[in-house]
Amino acid sequence: MIARVLSIAGSDSGGGAGIEADIKTISALGGYGCTAITALTAQNTLGVRDVHPIPAPFVALCMRTVLSDIGVDAIKLGMLTNEAIIREVAANLPQDVPVVLDPVMVSTSGAVLLPDGAIDALISELISKASVITPNLPETSKITGLPVGTETERVAAGRRLLEMGAKAALVKGGHGEESALTDLLITPESVIAITLPRLASRNTHGTGCTMSSAIATGLAQGMELEAAVRRARAYLQEAIRTAPGIGAGHGPVNHLAGQEQPAWPAAN
């Protein structure tokens, strides 16, 4: 059976992040994507214009409806919008399915996507349910209250996430200033550094969504966590390298990286 992945996240009208990025990623990596949409956003590569949350009971109904019929092999949690949605999602998560928690707090363009009150709910309700949490450096510092300027500090913050209940933490280094980009996969048993060249690109919209849904797809397909993370990181690297260059701001990545792609006509 094809691996089934449920993405619980917001919709991006520009198509580069959120649910849209998740479905593209899951499909590109050979999975089947289902959704429970938490918010509608009006956004493009320049920023988020407005956000309309979906009522929390309807988000939960979407989850139960998918789970009761199609079923899932992994769940990806992205932008959860507010405290009410976080609590409904937490109450309806199945017990025996891997959960990848991408604690989306601020968009690439700087828009705040999760208010402080909701962050407290995320910490208390969802971190302990995460098979792996995938924060970037600002999110890691916000959740743990610890500095993340050096690799030693990032490892300490990752271990703090484990103390808070996560089974594993992937502290992503994209916001760092090092010439190479290092993601740190921290588990109770080990610290694994995954280092790739840092690509100079403005096309980084939706990278966190893409990475987390790629990991969830790997886990749904039965991959071990490290293997799923390494495949996801390689996929994202190629997706950034071959980004289509759409929009005037932070453009989307190429979610069809590694796939046979259509020959698009030249722009007029």
Side-chain angles (χ1 to χ4, degrees):
M1 178 183 292
I2 189 171
R4 304 154 298 175
V5 182
L6 171 61
S7 173
I8 306 172
S11 171
D12 172 7
S13 60
I19 287 289
E20 287 76 10
D22 295 344
I23 291 175
K24 294 173 189 178
T25 299
I26 294 163
S27 299
L29 294 176
Y32 178 83
C34 306
T35 68
I37 298 176
T38 61
L40 304 177
T41 70
Q43 65 175 297
N44 55 25
T45 68
L46 297 173
V48 179
R49 299 287 298 274
D50 201 1
V51 178
H52 281 272
I54 303 298
F58 186 76
V59 176
L61 178 60
C62 289
M63 293 176 62
R64 292 195 298 270
T65 302
V66 170
L67 292 167
S68 66
D69 174 37
I70 297 170
V72 295
D73 300 297
I75 294 174
K76 173 262 173 75
L77 304 179
M79 172 184 158
L80 299 179
T81 313
N82 57 42
E83 180 178 349
I85 290 176
I86 288 171
R87 295 191 183 280
E88 283 282 7
V89 168
N92 285 276
L93 285 175
Q95 298 294 316
D96 56 349
V97 173
V99 174
V100 178
L101 172 58
D102 181 18
V104 179
M105 298 178 183
V106 180
S107 72
T108 302
S109 61
V112 175
L113 299 176
L114 196 65
D116 285 344
I119 293 173
D120 294 338
L122 182 146
I123 291 171
S124 64
E125 299 293 327
L126 288 178
I127 289 183
S128 63
K129 298 179 184 294
S131 304
V132 59
I133 184 171
T134 63
N136 60 33
L137 295 180
E139 291 162 348
T140 301
S141 184
K142 179 72 173 179
I143 293 171
T144 65
L146 297 175
V148 291
T150 68
E151 183 168 314
T152 298
E153 290 173 340
R154 295 169 193 177
V155 171
R159 287 182 170 143
R160 175 65 183 129
L161 290 170
L162 268 59
E163 293 171 0
M164 297 169 76
K167 296 176 181 64
L170 181 68
V171 178
K172 299 177 296 187
H175 285 74
E177 298 180 356
E178 300 84 1
S179 57
L181 192 157
T182 298
D183 294 337
L184 298 169
L185 178 60
I186 299 154
T187 71
E189 297 79 27
S190 63
V191 175
I192 300 166
I194 301 172
T195 300
L196 290 171
R198 185 181 295 276
L199 301 176
S201 175
R202 67 175 179 85
N203 300 304
T204 56
H205 181 55
T207 50
C209 306
T210 301
M211 181 75 167
S212 55
S213 56
I215 294 170
T217 305
L219 295 178
Q221 292 167 331
M223 299 175 71
E224 295 295 328
L225 177 60
E226 181 182 348
V229 170
R230 288 188 181 278
R231 184 182 73 167
R233 190 65 193 83
Y235 165 74
L236 178 58
Q237 187 83 350
E238 184 65 7
I240 295 172
R241 189 188 70 80
T242 60
I246 293 171
H250 294 286
V253 303
N254 173 22
H255 292 99
L256 294 180
Q259 308 294 313
E260 183 175 348
Q261 299 179 45
W264 298 106
N268 293 325

